[in-house]
Amino acid sequence: MFKIWGRADGSNVVKAMWCVGELGVEHERIDWGGRFGGNDDPEYREKNPNGRLPTLEEEGGFTVWESGPVVRYLCSKYSMGNLYPEDLRERASADKWMDWSSLNLANFNGVFLDHFFRLPEDQRDPAVVEAAIEKAADMYAILDKHLANRPYLCGDKLTTAEFPAGSLTYRWMTWPDSRPSFPNVEAWYERLAARPAYQEHVIKANRKRG
Ligand SMILES: N[C@@H](CCC(=O)N[C@@H](CS)C(=O)NCC(=O)O)C(=O)O
């Protein structure tokens, strides 16, 4: 049994935990970071020198930090040829969408967190949120075009490609009062939202914040 260190509502923990839920493997998640603290605990820093979340820990003290590699490691171990494509080109496509999503969609998430939850009310600025939505819309337009003729990012089934973009898209779809409409992204989101693991680890975990 492995452990995942990290509070359930951290966006990168959400990404890893949705993956764990899809895999259906035995695990223990430990509330860590954020309001639970522990980031600077020397023993935790031994596991993850960044003090960030999530951290995967296996028996024998083997650890992986960085949510993307955590997802890739778990899916290679427990779901090679299914969630993690075996074919090298398919795998490169899944990796491509994972990295692209983490690089290009994280910005709106940071702005949403600050201006919907973290900043004192009098410092929250709708214009900053609006600008982040506009910037993210350029990225969602790319996703929308890609999803026009396939139900999932790598074709007919869910793969590792979905975890970063799919987990962040819950916040895109539900946190701002309005956003540009991308019909293929919305249909893909509905497909994800119908999955029990997404409901448990993305929707429920995020709701606890609000
Ligand atoms: N690139 C890292 C980012 C890790 C990260 O910044 N995680 C956030 C939570 S989503 C964190 O540790 N924040 C400090 C905290 O919650 O205490 C990853 O993908 O794992």
Side-chain angles (χ1 to χ4, degrees):
M1 184 169 79
F2 59 83
K3 294 178 184 169
I4 297 277
W5 295 78
R7 60 191 167 86
D9 58 358
S11 59
N12 294 294
V13 181
V14 167
K15 183 195 305 177
M17 286 308 298
W18 173 27
C19 167
V20 169
E22 293 287 348
L23 291 169
V25 284
E26 207 188 332
H27 65 280
E28 179 192 358
R29 188 187 57 74
I30 299 152
D31 279 325
W32 206 258
R35 61 199 175 280
F36 302 100
N39 310 57
D40 294 325
D41 179 276
E43 268 180 49
Y44 186 69
R45 288 268 170 168
E46 284 292 313
K47 301 180 205 301
N48 180 342
N50 309 290
R52 315 288 289 186
L53 331 157
T55 302
L56 163 72
E57 182 179 17
E58 284 189 327
E59 277 140 27
F62 175 73
T63 57
V64 184
W65 36 267
E66 283 298 325
S67 53
V70 167
V71 162
R72 282 193 278 264
Y73 175 72
L74 290 176
C75 290
S76 330
K77 186 163 178 173
Y78 297 107
S79 190
M80 183 53 97
N82 185 22
L83 281 176
Y84 204 31
E86 200 145 23
D87 176 85
L88 278 184
R89 289 186 175 182
E90 286 176 28
R91 195 186 306 172
S93 298
D95 288 346
K96 173 186 75 184
W97 283 110
M98 281 190 81
D99 288 8
W100 177 90
S101 308
S102 299
L103 285 168
N104 293 297
L105 300 179
N107 180 55
F108 85 76
N109 179 50
V111 172
F112 284 7
L113 282 168
D114 284 346
H115 291 266
F116 292 145
F117 302 106
R118 286 178 175 157
L119 288 170
E121 297 232 0
D122 61 348
Q123 288 172 34
R124 296 179 190 177
D125 187 348
V128 174
V129 172
E130 214 34 63
I133 289 177
E134 236 177 75
K135 218 169 147 197
D138 291 344
M139 298 300 124
Y140 274 108
I142 292 172
L143 268 189
D144 200 62
K145 191 165 172 222
H146 181 71
L147 287 165
N149 49 12
R150 46 180 77 73
Y152 295 97
L153 290 171
C154 285
D156 288 337
K157 61 184 172 73
L158 186 98
T159 65
T160 46
E162 258 75 31
F163 294 117
S167 51
L168 286 172
T169 296
Y170 172 78
R171 296 178 178 194
W172 168 258
M173 292 296 296
T174 61
W175 283 3
D177 290 335
S178 66
R179 83 202 80 74
S181 170
F182 293 106
N184 302 315
V185 168
E186 284 158 24
W188 168 75
Y189 168 73
E190 292 304 331
R191 280 190 281 279
L192 303 183
R195 304 181 73 88
Y198 191 93
Q199 289 162 11
E200 178 68 25
H201 297 286
V202 183
I203 299 177
K204 243 166 94 181
N206 272 299
R207 275 206 190 122
K208 282 187 191 139
R209 176 185 294 282

XYZ file of all heavy atoms in Angstrom, residues 92-102 139 142-143 146 153-154 160-162 164-165:
170
model
N 3.418 9.316 -26.047
C 3.957 10.675 -26.220
C 2.806 11.688 -26.326
O 2.905 12.815 -25.825
C 4.836 10.735 -27.457
N 1.714 11.279 -26.967
C 0.558 12.193 -27.077
C -0.036 12.460 -25.700
O -0.383 13.597 -25.367
C -0.531 11.591 -27.970
O -0.020 11.410 -29.251
N -0.149 11.399 -24.897
C -0.702 11.581 -23.548
C 0.215 12.479 -22.721
O -0.242 13.411 -22.049
C -0.882 10.218 -22.872
N 1.531 12.232 -22.812
C 2.495 13.063 -22.058
C 2.403 14.522 -22.520
O 2.480 15.447 -21.715
C 3.921 12.560 -22.288
C 4.197 11.234 -21.578
O 3.391 10.847 -20.710
O 5.213 10.594 -21.907
N 2.252 14.683 -23.818
C 2.169 16.037 -24.394
C 1.002 16.809 -23.790
O 1.162 17.941 -23.327
C 1.987 15.888 -25.911
C 1.708 17.149 -26.671
C 1.409 16.825 -28.140
C 0.016 16.224 -28.316
N -0.278 15.810 -29.697
N -0.166 16.170 -23.746
C -1.340 16.880 -23.192
C -1.211 17.100 -21.695
O -1.655 18.113 -21.161
C -2.644 16.141 -23.533
C -3.036 16.373 -24.954
C -3.020 15.464 -25.968
C -3.464 17.616 -25.544
N -3.405 16.060 -27.155
C -3.683 17.372 -26.921
C -3.662 18.908 -25.065
C -4.107 18.373 -27.801
C -4.084 19.910 -25.938
C -4.298 19.643 -27.277
N -0.579 16.149 -21.011
C -0.365 16.347 -19.564
C 0.496 17.585 -19.314
O 0.141 18.463 -18.525
C 0.359 15.132 -18.959
C -0.508 13.942 -18.687
S 0.389 12.698 -17.710
C 0.224 13.378 -16.066
N 1.636 17.647 -20.006
C 2.561 18.766 -19.751
C 1.971 20.085 -20.247
O 2.084 21.116 -19.584
C 3.916 18.501 -20.422
C 4.690 17.404 -19.702
O 4.117 16.771 -18.795
O 5.860 17.170 -20.044
N 1.334 20.038 -21.399
C 0.717 21.259 -21.950
C -0.325 21.806 -20.970
O -0.356 23.020 -20.710
C 0.064 20.924 -23.300
C -0.657 22.072 -23.938
C -0.143 22.996 -24.807
C -2.046 22.424 -23.762
N -1.118 23.897 -25.165
C -2.289 23.573 -24.548
C -3.101 21.886 -23.026
C -3.545 24.186 -24.616
C -4.351 22.497 -23.086
C -4.563 23.628 -23.870
N -1.125 20.931 -20.408
C -2.190 21.386 -19.503
C -1.592 21.992 -18.238
O -2.036 23.048 -17.773
C -3.092 20.213 -19.098
O -3.539 19.535 -20.241
N -0.572 21.325 -17.695
C 0.022 21.846 -16.460
C 0.676 23.202 -16.717
O 0.630 24.093 -15.870
C 1.060 20.873 -15.910
O 0.425 19.652 -15.615
N -6.418 28.945 -24.565
C -5.989 27.557 -24.368
C -7.173 26.601 -24.526
O -7.055 25.539 -25.132
C -5.366 27.386 -22.973
C -4.134 28.216 -22.758
S -2.842 27.788 -23.958
C -2.522 29.366 -24.716
N -7.920 25.754 -28.016
C -7.059 24.680 -28.557
C -7.615 23.310 -28.140
O -7.747 22.392 -28.959
C -5.604 24.874 -28.057
C -5.019 26.139 -28.701
C -4.746 23.651 -28.360
C -3.663 26.568 -28.151
N -7.984 23.190 -26.866
C -8.563 21.924 -26.383
C -9.863 21.609 -27.129
O -10.126 20.464 -27.506
C -8.891 22.025 -24.891
C -7.868 21.598 -23.854
C -8.514 21.588 -22.475
C -7.326 20.199 -24.156
N -9.293 20.260 -30.532
C -8.762 18.901 -30.460
C -9.867 17.895 -30.108
O -9.871 16.756 -30.583
C -7.650 18.853 -29.407
C -7.027 17.503 -29.273
N -6.215 16.959 -30.237
C -7.130 16.563 -28.290
C -5.835 15.757 -29.859
N -6.375 15.485 -28.681
N -8.918 12.988 -24.747
C -7.777 13.679 -25.356
C -6.927 12.773 -26.245
O -6.343 13.231 -27.220
C -6.908 14.324 -24.267
C -7.577 15.516 -23.573
C -6.770 15.969 -22.364
C -7.761 16.675 -24.544
N -6.860 11.480 -25.913
C -6.065 10.573 -26.747
C -6.938 9.601 -27.533
O -6.453 8.554 -27.969
C -5.049 9.820 -25.905
S -3.679 10.872 -25.437
N -3.942 8.989 -19.080
C -3.216 9.938 -18.223
C -3.361 11.369 -18.729
O -3.272 12.310 -17.946
C -1.714 9.585 -18.187
O -1.275 9.323 -19.513
C -1.451 8.381 -17.310
N -3.565 11.528 -20.035
C -3.691 12.870 -20.627
C -4.753 13.696 -19.926
O -4.642 14.921 -19.819
C -4.036 12.753 -22.120
N -5.812 13.027 -19.444
C -6.960 13.749 -18.876
C -6.678 14.354 -17.494
O -7.311 15.338 -17.119
C -8.160 12.792 -18.723
C -9.229 12.945 -19.803
C -8.813 12.354 -21.134
O -8.049 11.369 -21.138
O -9.261 12.880 -22.177
N -4.431 16.187 -15.637
C -4.210 17.614 -15.321
C -5.328 18.514 -15.869
O -5.917 19.317 -15.122
C -2.874 17.934 -16.001
C -2.211 16.607 -16.226
C -3.330 15.636 -16.452
N -5.649 18.376 -17.150
C -6.649 19.274 -17.745
C -8.028 19.013 -17.152
O -8.770 19.945 -16.824
C -6.694 19.076 -19.264
